[in-house]
Amino acid sequence: MKNKKSSAPQEAETRPSRCPDNSAFKQQKLPAWKPQLTAASVLSTFFLTGAFCLSVGVSLIVAAKSVREIQVDYSDKCSHCSKLRENSSNWNSECLCSINITLAEDMLGDVFMYYGLQNFYQNHRRYALSRSDEQLLGRNVDVQNSYCAPFATYQNGTPMAPCGAIANSMFNDTIDLFYNFNSSVIQVPLLKTGNSWWTDKNVKFRNPESHNLSAAFAGTARPPYWHKAVYLLDEEDEKNNGYINDDFIIWMRVSAFATFRNLYRRISRKGQFTDGLPAGNYTFHISYNFPVSKFKGKKYVILSTMVWSGGSNPFLGIAYLVCGAAATLTDALKLFPECRNNAEELRSRIA
């Protein structure tokens, strides 16, 4: 028994200690600086923050107002096409519509063409999930086990490519712009590639590997609302065909709001349009395919320029102004009582 009692202290001495090393770092004895908050430092911080936010907000709003933009609602102006598309049996009938616009001033610099939709809820949960990312990566997957239903396969078992409600409802109007110069009509050159995000084009979307794109999609069928198969989206450019088509990629990035716009084309700056769009008369030629009357929606075509802060959206500028005003107001509310106390203290000293 004595041996056991004497061995216990020896084991405690040989057991490694769990205490941290006696160093300045591990003992938290390093030199540190703790700011001493005074009324002057706090008030000056609030004032500088408010001044910065107000100046940035004003700059953003001024920049947003300098954007040249024209928006045309063509869902009502192409009413004859809208009525034709109300009947789904007319899906294969082409309907053309022309809309004249006038630019009072030049739209200088890069000009972007957007299509806009109103009252189209892409943020619905089942709609936003109705896709197969594995399929869009070009992999051979069983779409029946995905969220694509009821747009996964046809009754005979043929899989849809691409599958899902998002792809099935892809915007498919065709919009061309013509410049009416004197007595001649000049088609404005439009760029249909380079409009999607690099990560989407090169990472998230891939075509199936095959020597021929049509052979890669053999055994599949187009979605029911599409007019042509996915490998026919752009037959002129194989780098813009299939799943890596820019129009398709942009549509597959769903919007968080019911009213939104997507980039459709960019004006190619060459010839008469080197500096942008000159002032004058223009005509939109629209092949009307996308129906909106059933969900009481509207369609727009938008021409817009860009500035250093982006497009014509004053939200960020307003947010900076609100933050700047709040900081300045807080500074003022704290400054007045401080001045009053100093004045009373000075008055008492004089008395």
Side-chain angles (χ1 to χ4, degrees), residues 124-154:
H124 191 282
R125 182 175 180 273
R126 290 194 62 187
Y127 179 90
L129 292 175
S130 185
R131 60 188 292 165
S132 173
D133 292 322
E134 294 290 325
Q135 184 193 49
L136 298 176
L137 286 171
R139 300 172 184 172
N140 187 14
V141 295
D142 184 8
V143 294
Q144 289 184 334
N145 296 328
S146 65
Y147 291 101
C148 288
F151 302 103
T153 61
Y154 285 94

mmCIF file of all heavy atoms in Angstrom, residues 124-154:
data_model
loop_
_atom_site.group_PDB
_atom_site.id
_atom_site.type_symbol
_atom_site.label_atom_id
_atom_site.label_comp_id
_atom_site.label_asym_id
_atom_site.label_seq_id
_atom_site.Cartn_x
_atom_site.Cartn_y
_atom_site.Cartn_z
ATOM 1 N N HIS A 124 -41.159 31.124 -58.087
ATOM 2 C CA HIS A 124 -41.974 30.062 -57.502
ATOM 3 C C HIS A 124 -41.079 28.859 -57.201
ATOM 4 O O HIS A 124 -40.262 28.445 -58.024
ATOM 5 C CB HIS A 124 -43.097 29.666 -58.462
ATOM 6 C CG HIS A 124 -44.131 28.784 -57.833
ATOM 7 N ND1 HIS A 124 -43.935 27.438 -57.630
ATOM 8 C CD2 HIS A 124 -45.378 29.055 -57.368
ATOM 9 C CE1 HIS A 124 -45.010 26.913 -57.073
ATOM 10 N NE2 HIS A 124 -45.889 27.874 -56.901
ATOM 11 N N ARG A 125 -41.230 28.282 -56.010
ATOM 12 C CA ARG A 125 -40.278 27.259 -55.555
ATOM 13 C C ARG A 125 -40.233 26.066 -56.501
ATOM 14 O O ARG A 125 -39.158 25.608 -56.899
ATOM 15 C CB ARG A 125 -40.640 26.795 -54.138
ATOM 16 C CG ARG A 125 -39.666 25.758 -53.568
ATOM 17 C CD ARG A 125 -40.004 25.414 -52.125
ATOM 18 N NE ARG A 125 -39.081 24.426 -51.600
ATOM 19 C CZ ARG A 125 -39.250 23.123 -51.722
ATOM 20 N NH1 ARG A 125 -40.316 22.655 -52.355
ATOM 21 N NH2 ARG A 125 -38.374 22.274 -51.217
ATOM 22 N N ARG A 126 -41.372 25.528 -56.883
ATOM 23 C CA ARG A 126 -41.386 24.354 -57.755
ATOM 24 C C ARG A 126 -40.848 24.688 -59.144
ATOM 25 O O ARG A 126 -40.222 23.852 -59.787
ATOM 26 C CB ARG A 126 -42.800 23.781 -57.855
ATOM 27 C CG ARG A 126 -43.304 23.125 -56.579
ATOM 28 C CD ARG A 126 -44.543 22.292 -56.843
ATOM 29 N NE ARG A 126 -44.280 21.210 -57.769
ATOM 30 C CZ ARG A 126 -45.233 20.414 -58.265
ATOM 31 N NH1 ARG A 126 -46.500 20.606 -57.930
ATOM 32 N NH2 ARG A 126 -44.923 19.447 -59.105
ATOM 33 N N TYR A 127 -41.091 25.899 -59.590
ATOM 34 C CA TYR A 127 -40.561 26.316 -60.891
ATOM 35 C C TYR A 127 -39.039 26.436 -60.833
ATOM 36 O O TYR A 127 -38.332 25.970 -61.724
ATOM 37 C CB TYR A 127 -41.190 27.646 -61.291
ATOM 38 C CG TYR A 127 -40.706 28.200 -62.626
ATOM 39 C CD1 TYR A 127 -41.355 27.871 -63.805
ATOM 40 C CD2 TYR A 127 -39.608 29.056 -62.700
ATOM 41 C CE1 TYR A 127 -40.913 28.375 -65.028
ATOM 42 C CE2 TYR A 127 -39.158 29.558 -63.901
ATOM 43 C CZ TYR A 127 -39.825 29.221 -65.065
ATOM 44 O OH TYR A 127 -39.387 29.704 -66.270
ATOM 45 N N ALA A 128 -38.525 27.073 -59.785
ATOM 46 C CA ALA A 128 -37.081 27.296 -59.679
ATOM 47 C C ALA A 128 -36.305 25.990 -59.529
ATOM 48 O O ALA A 128 -35.135 25.907 -59.926
ATOM 49 C CB ALA A 128 -36.783 28.216 -58.497
ATOM 50 N N LEU A 129 -36.944 24.947 -58.971
ATOM 51 C CA LEU A 129 -36.282 23.658 -58.795
ATOM 52 C C LEU A 129 -36.431 22.753 -60.007
ATOM 53 O O LEU A 129 -35.749 21.722 -60.090
ATOM 54 C CB LEU A 129 -36.844 22.939 -57.559
ATOM 55 C CG LEU A 129 -36.539 23.560 -56.198
ATOM 56 C CD1 LEU A 129 -37.271 22.789 -55.105
ATOM 57 C CD2 LEU A 129 -35.041 23.574 -55.925
ATOM 58 N N SER A 130 -37.293 23.118 -60.936
ATOM 59 C CA SER A 130 -37.617 22.242 -62.062
ATOM 60 C C SER A 130 -36.526 22.309 -63.129
ATOM 61 O O SER A 130 -36.678 22.967 -64.168
ATOM 62 C CB SER A 130 -38.984 22.620 -62.657
ATOM 63 O OG SER A 130 -39.367 21.715 -63.656
ATOM 64 N N ARG A 131 -35.425 21.600 -62.867
ATOM 65 C CA ARG A 131 -34.291 21.553 -63.781
ATOM 66 C C ARG A 131 -33.388 20.403 -63.363
ATOM 67 O O ARG A 131 -33.509 19.877 -62.243
ATOM 68 C CB ARG A 131 -33.499 22.865 -63.769
ATOM 69 C CG ARG A 131 -32.938 23.214 -62.402
ATOM 70 C CD ARG A 131 -32.333 24.588 -62.349
ATOM 71 N NE ARG A 131 -31.114 24.682 -63.146
ATOM 72 C CZ ARG A 131 -30.557 25.826 -63.489
ATOM 73 N NH1 ARG A 131 -31.127 26.976 -63.140
ATOM 74 N NH2 ARG A 131 -29.449 25.852 -64.196
ATOM 75 N N SER A 132 -32.493 20.015 -64.231
ATOM 76 C CA SER A 132 -31.511 18.987 -63.918
ATOM 77 C C SER A 132 -30.132 19.541 -64.234
ATOM 78 O O SER A 132 -29.727 19.634 -65.393
ATOM 79 C CB SER A 132 -31.770 17.701 -64.726
ATOM 80 O OG SER A 132 -30.722 16.765 -64.530
ATOM 81 N N ASP A 133 -29.408 19.942 -63.198
ATOM 82 C CA ASP A 133 -28.070 20.482 -63.397
ATOM 83 C C ASP A 133 -27.119 19.431 -63.939
ATOM 84 O O ASP A 133 -26.173 19.767 -64.670
ATOM 85 C CB ASP A 133 -27.541 21.056 -62.081
ATOM 86 C CG ASP A 133 -28.295 22.305 -61.647
ATOM 87 O OD1 ASP A 133 -28.636 23.110 -62.533
ATOM 88 O OD2 ASP A 133 -28.540 22.477 -60.451
ATOM 89 N N GLU A 134 -27.336 18.167 -63.588
ATOM 90 C CA GLU A 134 -26.496 17.101 -64.135
ATOM 91 C C GLU A 134 -26.682 16.993 -65.642
ATOM 92 O O GLU A 134 -25.719 16.814 -66.386
ATOM 93 C CB GLU A 134 -26.856 15.767 -63.450
ATOM 94 C CG GLU A 134 -26.531 15.713 -61.974
ATOM 95 C CD GLU A 134 -25.033 15.675 -61.727
ATOM 96 O OE1 GLU A 134 -24.325 15.051 -62.535
ATOM 97 O OE2 GLU A 134 -24.580 16.284 -60.750
ATOM 98 N N GLN A 135 -27.924 17.112 -66.098
ATOM 99 C CA GLN A 135 -28.174 17.045 -67.535
ATOM 100 C C GLN A 135 -27.548 18.233 -68.251
ATOM 101 O O GLN A 135 -26.983 18.096 -69.341
ATOM 102 C CB GLN A 135 -29.681 17.007 -67.800
ATOM 103 C CG GLN A 135 -30.049 16.843 -69.266
ATOM 104 C CD GLN A 135 -31.515 17.128 -69.534
ATOM 105 O OE1 GLN A 135 -32.051 18.156 -69.102
ATOM 106 N NE2 GLN A 135 -32.180 16.213 -70.245
ATOM 107 N N LEU A 136 -27.625 19.422 -67.634
ATOM 108 C CA LEU A 136 -27.072 20.626 -68.260
ATOM 109 C C LEU A 136 -25.549 20.609 -68.312
ATOM 110 O O LEU A 136 -24.950 21.391 -69.033
ATOM 111 C CB LEU A 136 -27.558 21.871 -67.508
ATOM 112 C CG LEU A 136 -29.073 22.095 -67.519
ATOM 113 C CD1 LEU A 136 -29.439 23.293 -66.663
ATOM 114 C CD2 LEU A 136 -29.582 22.282 -68.937
ATOM 115 N N LEU A 137 -24.920 19.715 -67.542
ATOM 116 C CA LEU A 137 -23.476 19.532 -67.614
ATOM 117 C C LEU A 137 -23.085 18.534 -68.696
ATOM 118 O O LEU A 137 -21.907 18.183 -68.809
ATOM 119 C CB LEU A 137 -22.931 19.069 -66.261
ATOM 120 C CG LEU A 137 -22.856 20.140 -65.163
ATOM 121 C CD1 LEU A 137 -22.516 19.514 -63.820
ATOM 122 C CD2 LEU A 137 -21.821 21.194 -65.528
ATOM 123 N N GLY A 138 -24.076 18.059 -69.453
ATOM 124 C CA GLY A 138 -23.799 17.132 -70.542
ATOM 125 C C GLY A 138 -23.680 15.691 -70.128
ATOM 126 O O GLY A 138 -23.204 14.857 -70.911
ATOM 127 N N ARG A 139 -24.116 15.356 -68.922
ATOM 128 C CA ARG A 139 -24.012 13.985 -68.441
ATOM 129 C C ARG A 139 -25.266 13.194 -68.784
ATOM 130 O O ARG A 139 -26.355 13.746 -68.889
ATOM 131 C CB ARG A 139 -23.778 13.971 -66.931
ATOM 132 C CG ARG A 139 -22.488 14.689 -66.521
ATOM 133 C CD ARG A 139 -22.382 14.839 -65.020
ATOM 134 N NE ARG A 139 -21.192 15.600 -64.642
ATOM 135 C CZ ARG A 139 -20.938 16.009 -63.401
ATOM 136 N NH1 ARG A 139 -21.796 15.726 -62.423
ATOM 137 N NH2 ARG A 139 -19.833 16.698 -63.143
ATOM 138 N N ASN A 140 -25.086 11.904 -68.921
ATOM 139 C CA ASN A 140 -26.195 11.007 -69.235
ATOM 140 C C ASN A 140 -26.881 10.625 -67.926
ATOM 141 O O ASN A 140 -26.376 9.789 -67.165
ATOM 142 C CB ASN A 140 -25.679 9.772 -69.972
ATOM 143 C CG ASN A 140 -26.819 8.899 -70.478
ATOM 144 O OD1 ASN A 140 -27.971 9.329 -70.504
ATOM 145 N ND2 ASN A 140 -26.498 7.676 -70.873
ATOM 146 N N VAL A 141 -28.013 11.244 -67.644
ATOM 147 C CA VAL A 141 -28.704 11.028 -66.381
ATOM 148 C C VAL A 141 -30.138 10.612 -66.656
ATOM 149 O O VAL A 141 -30.678 10.824 -67.744
ATOM 150 C CB VAL A 141 -28.695 12.310 -65.505
ATOM 151 C CG1 VAL A 141 -27.287 12.675 -65.095
ATOM 152 C CG2 VAL A 141 -29.353 13.462 -66.233
ATOM 153 N N ASP A 142 -30.726 10.003 -65.643
ATOM 154 C CA ASP A 142 -32.136 9.616 -65.713
ATOM 155 C C ASP A 142 -32.963 10.794 -65.197
ATOM 156 O O ASP A 142 -33.029 11.030 -63.985
ATOM 157 C CB ASP A 142 -32.384 8.361 -64.869
ATOM 158 C CG ASP A 142 -33.831 7.869 -64.981
ATOM 159 O OD1 ASP A 142 -34.586 8.417 -65.822
ATOM 160 O OD2 ASP A 142 -34.197 6.945 -64.240
ATOM 161 N N VAL A 143 -33.577 11.543 -66.106
ATOM 162 C CA VAL A 143 -34.297 12.752 -65.710
ATOM 163 C C VAL A 143 -35.565 12.444 -64.922
ATOM 164 O O VAL A 143 -36.130 13.327 -64.274
ATOM 165 C CB VAL A 143 -34.639 13.602 -66.951
ATOM 166 C CG1 VAL A 143 -33.375 14.136 -67.588
ATOM 167 C CG2 VAL A 143 -35.468 12.806 -67.947
ATOM 168 N N GLN A 144 -36.012 11.192 -64.950
ATOM 169 C CA GLN A 144 -37.195 10.836 -64.171
ATOM 170 C C GLN A 144 -36.933 10.908 -62.676
ATOM 171 O O GLN A 144 -37.860 11.042 -61.884
ATOM 172 C CB GLN A 144 -37.666 9.427 -64.558
ATOM 173 C CG GLN A 144 -38.296 9.347 -65.941
ATOM 174 C CD GLN A 144 -38.839 7.967 -66.249
ATOM 175 O OE1 GLN A 144 -38.373 6.961 -65.713
ATOM 176 N NE2 GLN A 144 -39.841 7.904 -67.109
ATOM 177 N N ASN A 145 -35.665 10.804 -62.292
ATOM 178 C CA ASN A 145 -35.301 10.896 -60.877
ATOM 179 C C ASN A 145 -34.909 12.313 -60.474
ATOM 180 O O ASN A 145 -34.345 12.508 -59.402
ATOM 181 C CB ASN A 145 -34.138 9.947 -60.584
ATOM 182 C CG ASN A 145 -34.513 8.492 -60.784
ATOM 183 O OD1 ASN A 145 -35.664 8.105 -60.555
ATOM 184 N ND2 ASN A 145 -33.550 7.671 -61.214
ATOM 185 N N SER A 146 -35.193 13.281 -61.326
ATOM 186 C CA SER A 146 -34.863 14.677 -61.035
ATOM 187 C C SER A 146 -36.140 15.438 -60.682
ATOM 188 O O SER A 146 -37.228 14.862 -60.573
ATOM 189 C CB SER A 146 -34.162 15.320 -62.236
ATOM 190 O OG SER A 146 -35.039 15.380 -63.337
ATOM 191 N N TYR A 147 -35.984 16.747 -60.530
ATOM 192 C CA TYR A 147 -37.131 17.604 -60.209
ATOM 193 C C TYR A 147 -37.841 18.109 -61.468
ATOM 194 O O TYR A 147 -38.654 19.031 -61.382
ATOM 195 C CB TYR A 147 -36.674 18.806 -59.387
ATOM 196 C CG TYR A 147 -36.212 18.480 -57.986
ATOM 197 C CD1 TYR A 147 -34.848 18.403 -57.676
ATOM 198 C CD2 TYR A 147 -37.130 18.242 -56.967
ATOM 199 C CE1 TYR A 147 -34.419 18.102 -56.399
ATOM 200 C CE2 TYR A 147 -36.713 17.938 -55.680
ATOM 201 C CZ TYR A 147 -35.362 17.867 -55.401
ATOM 202 O OH TYR A 147 -34.932 17.563 -54.140
ATOM 203 N N CYS A 148 -37.541 17.539 -62.632
ATOM 204 C CA CYS A 148 -38.060 18.061 -63.891
ATOM 205 C C CYS A 148 -39.546 17.768 -64.107
ATOM 206 O O CYS A 148 -40.179 18.429 -64.940
ATOM 207 C CB CYS A 148 -37.268 17.494 -65.063
ATOM 208 S SG CYS A 148 -35.596 18.172 -65.208
ATOM 209 N N ALA A 149 -40.079 16.769 -63.449
ATOM 210 C CA ALA A 149 -41.474 16.387 -63.676
ATOM 211 C C ALA A 149 -42.399 17.584 -63.447
ATOM 212 O O ALA A 149 -42.172 18.385 -62.540
ATOM 213 C CB ALA A 149 -41.861 15.235 -62.752
ATOM 214 N N PRO A 150 -43.438 17.759 -64.286
ATOM 215 C CA PRO A 150 -43.930 16.858 -65.335
ATOM 216 C C PRO A 150 -43.277 17.061 -66.698
ATOM 217 O O PRO A 150 -43.765 16.535 -67.695
ATOM 218 C CB PRO A 150 -45.412 17.216 -65.400
ATOM 219 C CG PRO A 150 -45.451 18.679 -65.078
ATOM 220 C CD PRO A 150 -44.355 18.911 -64.075
ATOM 221 N N PHE A 151 -42.187 17.833 -66.761
ATOM 222 C CA PHE A 151 -41.508 18.067 -68.031
ATOM 223 C C PHE A 151 -40.201 17.287 -68.068
ATOM 224 O O PHE A 151 -39.132 17.839 -68.338
ATOM 225 C CB PHE A 151 -41.258 19.564 -68.247
ATOM 226 C CG PHE A 151 -42.501 20.393 -68.238
ATOM 227 C CD1 PHE A 151 -42.843 21.159 -67.126
ATOM 228 C CD2 PHE A 151 -43.352 20.405 -69.328
ATOM 229 C CE1 PHE A 151 -43.991 21.925 -67.110
ATOM 230 C CE2 PHE A 151 -44.515 21.171 -69.327
ATOM 231 C CZ PHE A 151 -44.833 21.926 -68.206
ATOM 232 N N ALA A 152 -40.295 15.990 -67.773
ATOM 233 C CA ALA A 152 -39.118 15.126 -67.767
ATOM 234 C C ALA A 152 -39.102 14.208 -68.980
ATOM 235 O O ALA A 152 -38.117 14.149 -69.711
ATOM 236 C CB ALA A 152 -39.057 14.310 -66.481
ATOM 237 N N THR A 153 -40.185 13.495 -69.197
ATOM 238 C CA THR A 153 -40.278 12.579 -70.330
ATOM 239 C C THR A 153 -41.666 12.672 -70.942
ATOM 240 O O THR A 153 -42.626 13.121 -70.303
ATOM 241 C CB THR A 153 -40.024 11.128 -69.894
ATOM 242 O OG1 THR A 153 -41.018 10.747 -68.920
ATOM 243 C CG2 THR A 153 -38.636 10.958 -69.299
ATOM 244 N N TYR A 154 -41.762 12.221 -72.200
ATOM 245 C CA TYR A 154 -43.061 12.093 -72.849
ATOM 246 C C TYR A 154 -43.708 10.758 -72.450
ATOM 247 O O TYR A 154 -43.089 9.947 -71.755
ATOM 248 C CB TYR A 154 -42.892 12.188 -74.373
ATOM 249 C CG TYR A 154 -42.622 13.592 -74.860
ATOM 250 C CD1 TYR A 154 -41.315 14.042 -75.060
ATOM 251 C CD2 TYR A 154 -43.670 14.468 -75.107
ATOM 252 C CE1 TYR A 154 -41.063 15.329 -75.504
ATOM 253 C CE2 TYR A 154 -43.431 15.760 -75.543
ATOM 254 C CZ TYR A 154 -42.125 16.189 -75.743
ATOM 255 O OH TYR A 154 -41.896 17.473 -76.166
#
